[in-house]
């Protein structure tokens, strides 16, 4: 009976191998699919932010407008890479894991076949024991032949199963290595691209010239008064070689002396105020 | 009346500046907060995956066990960096944007003050026009004094407002540059760390020795049969025969109980909006 017991425990070990794979690969599949979905949602949120940034930039002074647009473009580019990440995760990580569902089903069917053969073998052996106790020599001979046949049948099935489970295990190890490697590669490529894109966006933001925008803002505020429009405005007057308003104007404004004071003075006698 | 009209349109421009800032910075705040939350959810999902990987590794052959554990550790490390990313985004991006709520409220109150002064000035000027038509010299003199007073009051308020809106604009430009730069820096640092961690995890996965695990697996399968133990074992560590699980688990599994997780997570592709 030893060989029957050990064959039974071998079958159980094979079942465990497959059951364990089914349980864990199924969980990996759903977790990695969820990870991919969450990544896609992060991309969506960032895309919304890109839209907002572009809308915002249009109403801002030229330097900030350029800086914000460049920031929005970088963010959009990272989302394109994130989109590629999502697609690759689906193709190279989630889908191969899904395929295990079918593969495991097949391996399970093989195991069932073996168990059936084993049951048959045990039945035959039990019959043989009974016949031995009664010891009618001719019937025992017949029974032994049928035991041998049952045993040979089970052995062949066992060998087939060993091959099946062995191949399954080999494929599993190979695929897991590939899937995890692919995951790491996909993530690595995405992160590397993001570093690249953000590095250049960082430079643009660092180079932002706040003072030029403030000059522009002040000029616009003053431009509301008609007599101030004669002042050189950098953006509205491209032809003459007077690109920037004098620095003194800004420092006067910053110092708390409002240039509008002068404007109003020019409109009427200064003594009236 | 020109100066009144231009002052009015200046006030409107100031209001627009503040209203525009309120609208967009509020939207940035909520979008960046959502981006941060989605990042946190991605981290949670990856953390779950780490737990699953560690549980899975324990039942796998030694080489895969080591490779999967190293992969899980890398994934966990990236989540630690993601956690730092989340915290930094909250502190340096979301919170400063939140503070604009209070700042904008204050600037709006200042604008209200100006508009009140302007209304008063317009009323006084209209009075003056009526008196001029009737031309009683004494009443006109009184009226002119009160117009001068109203005008001076409005001018002072205008100057104060210009300073307030100017300071608000300067602060806004400066803060936006800082907030966007901080966002880019935080993201850049996170992505760079992720590249670093995944690069080393990739090496470990590449070095995985599948054949050694397969030898180990085959040895275990054959070890179940007493007469096969004479075969040379690749991994000489003599692992004792593992106690088998109760039959109930096997029969439940054979009966068709399959992990409910299977395929559920992979239900639908995370569509790009």
């Amino acid at each position: 009976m030893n060989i029957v017991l050990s064959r039974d425990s071998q079958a159980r070990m094979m079942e465990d191998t497959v059951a364990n794979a089914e349980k864990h690969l199924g969980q990996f599949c759903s977790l990695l699919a969820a990870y991919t979905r969450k990544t896609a949602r992060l991309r969506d949120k960032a895309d919304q932010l890109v839209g907002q940034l572009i809308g915002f930039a249009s109403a801002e002074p030229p330097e900030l407008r350029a800086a914000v647009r460049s920031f929005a473009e970088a963010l959009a580019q990272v989302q394109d890479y994130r989109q590629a990440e999502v697609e690759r995760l689906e193709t190279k990580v989630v889908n191969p894991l899904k395929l295990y569902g079918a593969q495991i089903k097949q391996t399970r069917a093989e195991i069932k076949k073996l168990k059936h053969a084993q049951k048959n073998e045990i039945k035959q052996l039990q019959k043989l024991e009974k016949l031995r106790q009664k010891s009618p020599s001719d019937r025992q001979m017949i029974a032994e032949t049928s035991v041998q046949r049952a045993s040979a049948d089970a052995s062949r099935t066992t060998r087939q199963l060993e091959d099946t489970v062995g191949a399954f295990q080999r494929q599993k190890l190979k695929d897991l290595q590939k899937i995890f490697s692919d995951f790491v590669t996909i993530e690595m490529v995405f992160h590397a691209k993001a570093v690249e894109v953000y590095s250049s966006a960082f430079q643009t933001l660092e180079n932002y010239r706040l003072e030029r925008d403030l000059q522009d803002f002040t000029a616009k505020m003053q431009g509301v008064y008609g007599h101030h429009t004669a002042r050189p405005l950098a953006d509205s007057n491209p032809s003459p070689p007077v690109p920037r308003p004098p620095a003194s104007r800004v420092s006067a404004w910053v110092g708390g002396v409002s240039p509008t004071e002068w404007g109003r003075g020019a409109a009427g006698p200064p003594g009236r105020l």
Side-chain angles (χ1 to χ4, degrees), chain A:
Chain A
M1 288 294 277
N2 257 351
I3 197 159
V4 173
L5 284 174
S6 73
R7 195 169 287 168
D8 191 52
S9 82
Q10 188 195 29
R12 250 185 283 141
M13 186 187 148
M14 286 173 173
E15 280 180 323
D16 284 352
T17 299
V18 178
N20 201 45
E22 181 169 40
K23 182 186 151 205
H24 283 105
L25 301 188
Q27 284 167 336
F28 290 158
C29 184
S30 72
L31 277 174
L32 282 159
Y35 180 89
T36 308
R37 276 198 311 276
K38 300 255 175 260
T39 302
R41 283 187 198 140
L42 187 59
R43 171 209 63 201
D44 290 343
K45 207 41 82 179
D47 276 346
Q48 270 180 272
L49 184 58
V50 167
Q52 278 296 333
L53 284 167
I54 288 168
F56 166 75
S58 63
E60 289 300 307
E63 295 285 329
L64 186 68
R65 181 159 62 233
V68 170
R69 276 189 185 151
S70 137
F71 171 50
E73 275 160 27
L75 203 58
Q77 223 178 322
V78 171
Q79 303 329 304
D80 288 344
Y81 286 123
R82 219 190 288 268
Q83 171 58 14
E85 179 201 2
V86 164
E87 283 167 11
R88 283 176 197 151
L89 285 174
E90 275 175 355
T91 313
K92 294 187 142 196
V93 176
V94 178
N95 287 346
L97 282 169
K98 266 189 207 167
L99 291 178
Y100 270 99
Q103 203 158 341
I104 283 169
K105 228 176 172 179
Q106 217 175 3
T107 313
R108 272 175 150 189
E110 288 290 313
I111 290 174
K112 252 190 181 168
K113 236 166 92 183
L114 170 79
K115 292 202 99 180
H116 184 73
Q118 279 184 327
K119 265 185 192 165
N120 203 29
E121 187 184 27
I122 290 164
K123 266 184 202 160
Q124 295 299 328
L125 285 170
Q126 283 169 338
K127 252 189 204 169
L128 175 65
E129 285 300 311
K130 278 183 189 168
L131 289 169
R132 266 193 185 138
Q133 282 163 5
K134 292 176 188 171
S135 60
S137 61
D138 56 331
R139 293 198 65 189
Q140 191 181 344
M141 197 200 71
I142 295 162
E144 274 196 5
T145 318
S146 80
V147 164
Q148 273 167 19
R149 222 188 299 125
S151 188
D153 188 41
S155 292
R156 204 185 54 245
T157 317
T158 303
R159 246 178 292 122
Q160 282 174 352
L161 188 74
E162 272 178 21
D163 290 351
T164 305
V165 175
F168 172 81
Q169 180 76 349
R170 169 181 283 275
Q171 196 61 41
K172 189 192 82 177
L173 298 180
K174 216 173 140 187
D175 286 354
L176 277 184
Q177 180 190 25
K178 178 149 181 19
I179 288 168
F180 292 154
S181 283
D182 279 348
F183 176 88
V184 168
T185 307
I186 291 164
E187 294 292 282
M188 202 161 53
V189 167
F190 164 66
H191 290 302
K193 287 292 180 187
V195 170
E196 201 183 300
V197 171
Y198 281 136
S199 298
S200 101
F202 181 76
Q203 270 316 308
T204 312
L205 282 167
E206 280 299 290
N207 294 337
Y208 167 59
R209 285 163 298 182
L210 173 102
E211 295 305 333
R212 291 182 74 165
D213 273 350
L214 278 176
Q215 284 173 0
D216 180 83
F217 180 73
T218 311
K220 267 193 190 150
M221 290 264 264
Q222 290 167 349
V224 172
Y225 289 92
H227 46 271
H228 274 292
T229 47
R231 288 197 178 205
L233 293 180
D235 295 304
S236 59
N237 205 356
S239 44
V242 270
R244 288 288 135 192
S248 58
R249 204 187 97 202
V250 175
S251 58
W253 180 81
V254 166
V257 180
S258 167
T260 53
E261 182 70 19
W262 313 328
R264 210 174 312 112
R272 287 192 66 175
L273 288 175

